[in-house]
Amino acid sequence: MEKINALILAGGGGQRLGGVTKADLTIAGKSFLDQILLDLLALGVEDERIVVSGPAHLAQTSHLRSRVMFALEAPPAGGPAAGIVAALRALPRPQEAKFTFITACDAPYSARALPLLRQHWDEEVDATCARTEEYTNYLLGWYNTESLLAAIAQRSEHHHMSVRRLVAELRVRPVQVDSTHGYDVDTWHQYRQLKTTAPASPPAEPLPHEPPAPDAPPVQG
C-alpha cells in the first residue's frame, strides 16, 4: 500500500470509567491500544509512521511499544485536536505520506474501517470519516495529509479544540462503517456490551496499492 501516517489518540481521561485509561482496557486478551496497532500492522501500515498520542505509561505497557512512536501534547490533557498536532509533530516528515489515518483508542476495532474509508476517498474531498447511525465521527477518518496540515496551520491554538472544529473547513465525505468498527467505549456498560459482540473474524487483508473509485458525494464538515 502507499505510505500513510496513522495517528492513535489515547489521551482521554476516562472520567466515566473512573479514570481508567481506555487504551489499557482489554478485549479478546489484548489491550485496546494493542488491538488497534495489530490491525494497522496487518493492513500493511509501516510501523515507523504509526504514532500514539497519549500518557507516557503507554510507552511502557504496550506489547508493541518498540515498533511505534509515542507523543504527548504539551501541556497534557489538551484534547483530541492537540493530540493530532502532537502526533504529527512526532513524525520526521509527515507530509511525505499523502494520507493520514486518525482513530482513537476507545474504539479497539476502528482500524478495520480503514480500507472502506480509503476506498471512498477521491480528489473531490479532503477526508472520509466514519458515520454510524446519524453521527459522523471525525476521530475515525482518512485525511489528505496536506489538507490536514493546512487546517492545523490556520489555527494558532489547538488545545481544548474539538476535531470537528479543527477540520470544519475541509470537505468531508461521511462513510457508513460496520457498527463494531465504529463502536467506542465511554462507560462500563458500553465496555460490557462490546465484549459480547466482539468480532471473531481476523482483520482485513493488506491493502492494495490503488483504491477503487468512490461513488458518494462529499459534504462540508
Side-chain angles (χ1 to χ4, degrees):
M1 65 175 297
E2 71 269 57
K3 184 181 294 187
I4 71 168
N5 306 316
L7 316 181
I8 305 171
L9 306 181
Q15 288 86 351
R16 285 186 281 177
L17 293 170
V20 173
T21 304
K22 296 177 185 179
D24 293 326
L25 293 173
T26 59
I27 190 80
K30 307 177 190 69
S31 72
F32 278 21
L33 175 58
D34 282 349
Q35 181 64 64
I36 294 171
L37 292 173
L38 285 168
D39 283 340
L40 286 173
L41 293 169
L43 286 165
V45 181
E46 297 175 342
D47 47 9
E48 65 267 22
R49 304 207 73 83
I50 301 175
V51 185
V52 180
S53 180
H57 82 270
L58 295 177
Q60 281 74 51
T61 58
S62 170
H63 290 289
L64 298 166
R65 57 188 176 273
S66 64
R67 298 189 61 179
V68 300
M69 289 186 288
F70 291 83
L72 180 63
E73 68 268 19
I84 290 172
V85 174
L88 285 169
R89 287 175 177 169
L91 288 164
R93 291 172 294 278
Q95 68 278 7
E96 287 187 354
K98 181 175 180 178
F99 299 107
T100 296
F101 175 71
I102 296 175
T103 189
C105 70
D106 58 359
Y109 294 108
S110 54
R112 300 185 183 190
L114 187 157
L116 186 64
L117 295 174
R118 176 181 183 266
Q119 173 184 334
H120 284 274
W121 187 93
D122 65 16
E123 297 292 343
E124 294 183 358
V125 297
D126 299 302
T128 52
C129 291
R131 186 170 181 84
T132 55
E133 298 179 353
E134 299 301 316
Y135 172 64
T136 300
N137 185 0
Y138 299 94
L139 279 173
L140 179 49
W142 176 266
Y143 289 84
N144 175 276
T145 303
E146 183 179 351
S147 299
L148 181 61
L149 291 171
I152 290 170
Q154 289 176 0
R155 310 280 185 173
S156 59
E157 179 57 57
H158 307 98
H159 272 62
H160 307 298
M161 177 186 291
S162 70
V163 177
R164 178 171 183 164
R165 182 181 172 197
L166 176 68
V167 303
E169 301 303 318
L170 300 187
R171 300 164 298 165
V172 175
R173 173 179 286 139
V175 177
Q176 197 76 30
V177 300
D178 183 285
S179 59
T180 302
H181 299 171
Y183 191 92
D184 55 6
V185 172
D186 292 312
T187 67
W188 289 117
H189 173 73
Q190 291 172 333
Y191 178 51
R192 290 190 293 269
Q193 188 172 18
L194 177 65
K195 294 187 80 170
T196 65
T197 59
S201 60
E205 294 295 320
L207 296 173
H209 182 67
E210 291 295 337
D215 54 10
V219 298
Q220 193 70 25

